[in-house]
Amino acid sequence: NSKVIQTPRYLVKGQGQKAKMRCIPEKGHPVVFWYQQNKNNEFKFLINFQNQEVLQQIDMTEKRFSAECPSNSPCSLEIQSSEAGDSALYLCASSRDYTGQLYFGEGSKLTVL
Amino acid sequence: AQSVTQPDARVTVSEGASLQLRCKYSYSGTPYLFWYVQYPRQGLQLLLKYYSGDPVVQGVNGFEAEFIKSNSSFHLRKASVHWSDSAVYFCAVRVIASSSFSKLVFGQGTSLSVVP
């Protein structure tokens, strides 16, 4: 069973508000991913870390989204100004290396009113 | 471009019947293939994975999948389904973009309903 811990499970924000989600990757996993799953079950890769460093991120992430994975602290994904289209399930996943199996958390479901 | 296609958005089977969920991928590199299951209001749980070797891989809860390279397919099977198997199933391929980066590309998912 996965030991990736995501908080909060649910968050509700108004348009323009900040939304912040946290993730504790599985112990010993230096690689962390954030994915967005929309209501149509489409997955969008957002950002990837290895040992606290950003490896890849999409353009969308660079504008309103910010993320970090500090050592000895939970990883976080923050949306600076939420939009209705950001309503989705945000999944954090971790792995031992860049080819290894991904272990997913339960997700944080964001609803933007 | 890399992609995964699950042609069946919804599948309904009777409890005790056999199951096959279809998956085809498009990827020019060596495929690392996965099947995940998602229960309502939960994250993704790994059912099984294929990296290399025997093309038939066994997973949890009686699931198995067969990698057919010539067909670029990785179909999921189960001999006898249970009502608790009702969930959404996702096929995914791990795309290696560089020597230090890869990501999962997911299919659209197949919603499985097991009826009495």
Side-chain angles (χ1 to χ4, degrees), chain B residues 13-108:
Chain B
V13 297
S14 299
E15 194 166 14
S18 64
L19 170 72
Q20 176 171 280
L21 301 182
R22 296 182 291 165
C23 170
K24 295 199 74 172
Y25 66 92
S26 174
Y27 177 51
S28 58
T30 300
Y32 297 146
L33 296 160
F34 305 84
W35 275 99
Y36 286 90
V37 62
Q38 188 175 37
Y39 297 101
R41 295 173 293 282
Q42 293 189 24
L44 299 176
Q45 298 175 29
L46 182 71
L47 282 177
L48 47 78
K49 61 185 181 233
Y50 173 80
Y51 284 1
S52 65
D54 189 338
V56 179
V57 290
Q58 304 297 322
V60 299
N61 297 333
F63 286 95
E64 68 173 29
E66 184 174 8
F67 169 58
I68 302 179
K69 186 176 181 179
S70 60
N71 200 32
S72 297
S73 68
F74 189 55
H75 301 331
L76 181 71
R77 303 189 295 238
K78 187 171 184 178
S80 176
V81 297
H82 187 264
W83 65 267
S84 60
D85 293 324
S86 296
V88 182
Y89 292 78
F90 294 96
C91 180
V93 62
R94 189 92 181 246
V95 170
I96 310 296
S98 72
S99 61
S100 60
F101 173 70
S102 70
K103 66 177 183 180
L104 281 180
V105 174
F106 290 90
Q108 304 93 322

Side-chain angles (χ1 to χ4, degrees), chain A residues 18-60:
Chain A
K18 286 186 182 179
K20 188 167 186 175
M21 295 154 267
R22 292 177 176 81
C23 168
I24 300 175
E26 191 149 343
K27 191 175 181 180
H29 286 190
V31 179
V32 175
F33 289 82
W34 285 97
Y35 281 89
Q36 179 196 64
Q37 181 185 11
N38 68 19
K39 63 180 181 180
N40 296 319
N41 284 333
E42 295 164 334
F43 289 83
K44 180 179 289 185
F45 164 81
L46 295 177
I47 195 166
N48 164 234
F49 292 86
Q50 181 158 344
N51 292 322
Q52 297 87 50
E53 299 295 323
V54 175
L55 289 184
Q56 289 279 344
Q57 61 182 346
I58 64 169
D59 286 345
M60 179 183 76

Side-chain angles (χ1 to χ4, degrees), chain A residues 47-88:
Chain A
I47 195 166
N48 164 234
F49 292 86
Q50 181 158 344
N51 292 322
Q52 297 87 50
E53 299 295 323
V54 175
L55 289 184
Q56 289 279 344
Q57 61 182 346
I58 64 169
D59 286 345
M60 179 183 76
T61 307
E62 292 170 357
K63 292 174 182 174
R64 293 186 300 111
F65 289 58
S66 62
E68 60 177 4
C69 254
S71 61
N72 301 317
S73 293
C75 299
S76 65
L77 175 68
E78 186 171 49
I79 306 173
Q80 302 300 323
S81 179
S82 300
E83 299 176 354
D86 298 330
S87 294

